[in-house]
Amino acid sequence: ETGVTQTPRHLVMGMTNKKSLKCEQHLGHNAMYWYKQSAKKPLELMFVYNFKEQTENNSVPSRFSPECPNSSHLFLHLHTLQPEDSALYLCASSRALAGDNEQFFGPGTRLTVL
Amino acid sequence: QQQVKQSPQSLIVQKGGISIINCAYENTAFDYFPWYQQFPGKGPALLIAIRPDVSEKKEGRFTISFNKSAKQFSLHIMDSQPGDSATYFCAASIGETSGSRLTFGEGTQLTVNP
């Protein structure tokens, strides 16, 4: 185990549903990330949080809403998604130190939008 | 704009052979080049990483070769084993105090036949 957990592992939702993905890290890190992984595409960085503050929103549609209540927890709130949003959503964490770039990933949530 | 290009998309190697995966980058400000390994149902995990002040780094059967002038780096897996069958991602980032932003390649699906 990497020390980063994600729940649920699988999620099926309709386009009108509202759901949330949860990520928790037990590594004492201060930076947390959401990535989208689609088949045959590079991992896409969605959001970066550093010490609970959002430092990057990589042009993500507003139907994805992140929340970081503390340095150990990260949520991704989903509403009115589209079928093309079906993907593996990965959470990662790292130390927020210059020159310390290693990110530790959770196992991901496999999301299917019907 | 794809800043890190990875090839090949898939690779089949016999047990005991050498697996070679290549990446090319565009941004000369990148100063950290990791390789991640991902097994089905798992998140990516750091395999080995290099910084541009060295041309090669070896850890066990895994070696990164780095060519700064050509803006290319590659992963060599010596004595490939069936257990190495996974998807491999190269990445690049710039170390920042607000957490690192990894730019990933498209991934290479490696299959090692017994």
Short mmCIF file of all heavy atoms in Angstrom, two decimals, chain B residues 53-75:
data_model
loop_
_atom_site.label_atom_id
_atom_site.label_comp_id
_atom_site.label_asym_id
_atom_site.label_seq_id
_atom_site.Cartn_x
_atom_site.Cartn_y
_atom_site.Cartn_z
N ASP B 53 21.48 16.46 -14.04
CA ASP B 53 22.92 16.62 -13.83
C ASP B 53 23.69 15.32 -14.00
O ASP B 53 24.92 15.30 -13.91
CB ASP B 53 23.18 17.23 -12.44
CG ASP B 53 22.50 16.46 -11.33
OD1 ASP B 53 21.59 15.66 -11.63
OD2 ASP B 53 22.86 16.67 -10.16
N VAL B 54 22.97 14.21 -14.23
CA VAL B 54 23.64 12.94 -14.50
C VAL B 54 23.08 12.34 -15.79
O VAL B 54 21.97 12.66 -16.19
CB VAL B 54 23.45 11.92 -13.35
CG1 VAL B 54 24.10 12.43 -12.08
CG2 VAL B 54 21.99 11.63 -13.11
N SER B 55 23.86 11.50 -16.44
CA SER B 55 23.43 10.93 -17.72
C SER B 55 22.84 9.54 -17.57
O SER B 55 22.23 9.02 -18.51
CB SER B 55 24.61 10.89 -18.69
OG SER B 55 25.64 10.08 -18.17
N GLU B 56 23.05 8.92 -16.42
CA GLU B 56 22.53 7.57 -16.24
C GLU B 56 22.32 7.29 -14.76
O GLU B 56 23.07 7.74 -13.91
CB GLU B 56 23.52 6.55 -16.82
CG GLU B 56 23.02 5.11 -16.80
CD GLU B 56 23.98 4.15 -17.49
OE1 GLU B 56 24.00 4.13 -18.74
OE2 GLU B 56 24.70 3.45 -16.78
N LYS B 57 21.26 6.53 -14.48
CA LYS B 57 21.00 6.09 -13.10
C LYS B 57 20.52 4.67 -13.16
O LYS B 57 19.65 4.33 -13.97
CB LYS B 57 19.97 6.99 -12.42
CG LYS B 57 19.72 6.61 -10.97
CD LYS B 57 18.80 7.60 -10.31
CE LYS B 57 18.57 7.25 -8.85
NZ LYS B 57 17.66 8.23 -8.18
N LYS B 58 21.10 3.84 -12.30
CA LYS B 58 20.76 2.42 -12.31
C LYS B 58 20.28 2.00 -10.94
O LYS B 58 20.90 2.32 -9.92
CB LYS B 58 21.99 1.59 -12.71
CG LYS B 58 21.74 0.11 -12.84
CD LYS B 58 22.99 -0.61 -13.34
CE LYS B 58 22.74 -2.11 -13.48
NZ LYS B 58 23.95 -2.82 -14.00
N GLU B 59 19.18 1.25 -10.92
CA GLU B 59 18.68 0.67 -9.68
C GLU B 59 18.25 -0.77 -9.99
O GLU B 59 17.20 -1.00 -10.60
CB GLU B 59 17.51 1.48 -9.12
CG GLU B 59 17.91 2.83 -8.57
CD GLU B 59 16.76 3.58 -7.93
OE1 GLU B 59 15.63 3.04 -7.88
OE2 GLU B 59 16.97 4.73 -7.50
N GLY B 60 19.10 -1.70 -9.62
CA GLY B 60 18.80 -3.10 -9.90
C GLY B 60 18.77 -3.35 -11.40
O GLY B 60 19.72 -3.02 -12.12
N ARG B 61 17.66 -3.89 -11.89
CA ARG B 61 17.55 -4.18 -13.33
C ARG B 61 17.07 -2.98 -14.14
O ARG B 61 16.96 -3.06 -15.36
CB ARG B 61 16.58 -5.35 -13.53
CG ARG B 61 17.04 -6.66 -12.91
CD ARG B 61 16.10 -7.81 -13.22
NE ARG B 61 14.79 -7.65 -12.60
CZ ARG B 61 13.67 -7.37 -13.27
NH1 ARG B 61 13.69 -7.21 -14.58
NH2 ARG B 61 12.52 -7.27 -12.62
N PHE B 62 16.78 -1.88 -13.47
CA PHE B 62 16.21 -0.71 -14.13
C PHE B 62 17.25 0.40 -14.27
O PHE B 62 17.92 0.74 -13.29
CB PHE B 62 14.99 -0.20 -13.35
CG PHE B 62 13.90 -1.21 -13.19
CD1 PHE B 62 13.86 -2.05 -12.08
CD2 PHE B 62 12.93 -1.37 -14.16
CE1 PHE B 62 12.86 -3.00 -11.93
CE2 PHE B 62 11.92 -2.31 -14.03
CZ PHE B 62 11.89 -3.13 -12.92
N THR B 63 17.36 0.95 -15.48
CA THR B 63 18.32 2.01 -15.76
C THR B 63 17.62 3.12 -16.53
O THR B 63 16.88 2.85 -17.47
CB THR B 63 19.51 1.49 -16.58
OG1 THR B 63 20.18 0.46 -15.84
CG2 THR B 63 20.49 2.61 -16.89
N ILE B 64 17.88 4.36 -16.12
CA ILE B 64 17.45 5.51 -16.92
C ILE B 64 18.69 6.06 -17.61
O ILE B 64 19.71 6.32 -16.97
CB ILE B 64 16.84 6.63 -16.06
CG1 ILE B 64 15.59 6.16 -15.32
CG2 ILE B 64 16.49 7.82 -16.96
CD1 ILE B 64 15.00 7.26 -14.44
N SER B 65 18.57 6.29 -18.92
CA SER B 65 19.60 7.00 -19.68
C SER B 65 19.04 8.36 -20.05
O SER B 65 17.91 8.46 -20.51
CB SER B 65 19.96 6.21 -20.94
OG SER B 65 20.54 4.98 -20.60
N PHE B 66 19.83 9.39 -19.84
CA PHE B 66 19.34 10.76 -20.03
C PHE B 66 20.27 11.51 -20.98
O PHE B 66 21.50 11.51 -20.81
CB PHE B 66 19.28 11.48 -18.68
CG PHE B 66 18.68 12.84 -18.74
CD1 PHE B 66 17.32 13.00 -18.77
CD2 PHE B 66 19.48 13.97 -18.79
CE1 PHE B 66 16.75 14.26 -18.83
CE2 PHE B 66 18.92 15.23 -18.85
CZ PHE B 66 17.56 15.38 -18.88
N ASN B 67 19.69 12.11 -22.02
CA ASN B 67 20.45 12.89 -23.00
C ASN B 67 19.89 14.30 -23.00
O ASN B 67 18.87 14.59 -23.63
CB ASN B 67 20.34 12.26 -24.39
CG ASN B 67 21.22 12.94 -25.42
OD1 ASN B 67 21.48 14.14 -25.33
ND2 ASN B 67 21.71 12.17 -26.38
N LYS B 68 20.56 15.19 -22.27
CA LYS B 68 20.05 16.55 -22.10
C LYS B 68 20.03 17.32 -23.41
O LYS B 68 19.07 18.04 -23.70
CB LYS B 68 20.90 17.29 -21.06
CG LYS B 68 20.36 18.64 -20.65
CD LYS B 68 21.19 19.23 -19.53
CE LYS B 68 20.64 20.56 -19.08
NZ LYS B 68 21.42 21.14 -17.95
N SER B 69 21.07 17.18 -24.22
CA SER B 69 21.13 17.94 -25.47
C SER B 69 20.02 17.53 -26.44
O SER B 69 19.47 18.36 -27.17
CB SER B 69 22.49 17.80 -26.13
OG SER B 69 22.75 16.44 -26.44
N ALA B 70 19.69 16.26 -26.43
CA ALA B 70 18.63 15.76 -27.32
C ALA B 70 17.25 15.86 -26.68
O ALA B 70 16.24 15.61 -27.34
CB ALA B 70 18.92 14.31 -27.71
N LYS B 71 17.21 16.23 -25.41
CA LYS B 71 15.95 16.30 -24.66
C LYS B 71 15.20 14.97 -24.71
O LYS B 71 14.00 14.91 -25.04
CB LYS B 71 15.09 17.46 -25.14
CG LYS B 71 15.72 18.83 -24.85
CD LYS B 71 14.77 19.99 -25.13
CE LYS B 71 14.60 20.20 -26.60
NZ LYS B 71 13.78 21.40 -26.91
N GLN B 72 15.96 13.91 -24.43
CA GLN B 72 15.38 12.57 -24.45
C GLN B 72 15.86 11.79 -23.24
O GLN B 72 16.97 12.01 -22.72
CB GLN B 72 15.80 11.83 -25.73
CG GLN B 72 15.26 12.45 -27.01
CD GLN B 72 15.78 11.75 -28.25
OE1 GLN B 72 16.72 10.97 -28.19
NE2 GLN B 72 15.14 12.01 -29.37
N PHE B 73 15.02 10.86 -22.79
CA PHE B 73 15.43 9.94 -21.74
C PHE B 73 14.72 8.61 -21.97
O PHE B 73 13.65 8.58 -22.59
CB PHE B 73 15.19 10.51 -20.34
CG PHE B 73 13.76 10.87 -20.02
CD1 PHE B 73 13.03 10.11 -19.12
CD2 PHE B 73 13.14 11.98 -20.59
CE1 PHE B 73 11.73 10.45 -18.79
CE2 PHE B 73 11.84 12.32 -20.28
CZ PHE B 73 11.13 11.55 -19.37
N SER B 74 15.34 7.56 -21.49
CA SER B 74 14.79 6.24 -21.75
C SER B 74 14.92 5.35 -20.52
O SER B 74 15.78 5.56 -19.67
CB SER B 74 15.49 5.59 -22.95
OG SER B 74 16.86 5.47 -22.70
N LEU B 75 14.05 4.36 -20.49
CA LEU B 75 14.06 3.35 -19.42
C LEU B 75 14.50 2.03 -20.04
O LEU B 75 13.94 1.61 -21.06
CB LEU B 75 12.67 3.20 -18.81
CG LEU B 75 12.51 2.09 -17.77
CD1 LEU B 75 13.28 2.44 -16.49
CD2 LEU B 75 11.03 1.86 -17.44
#
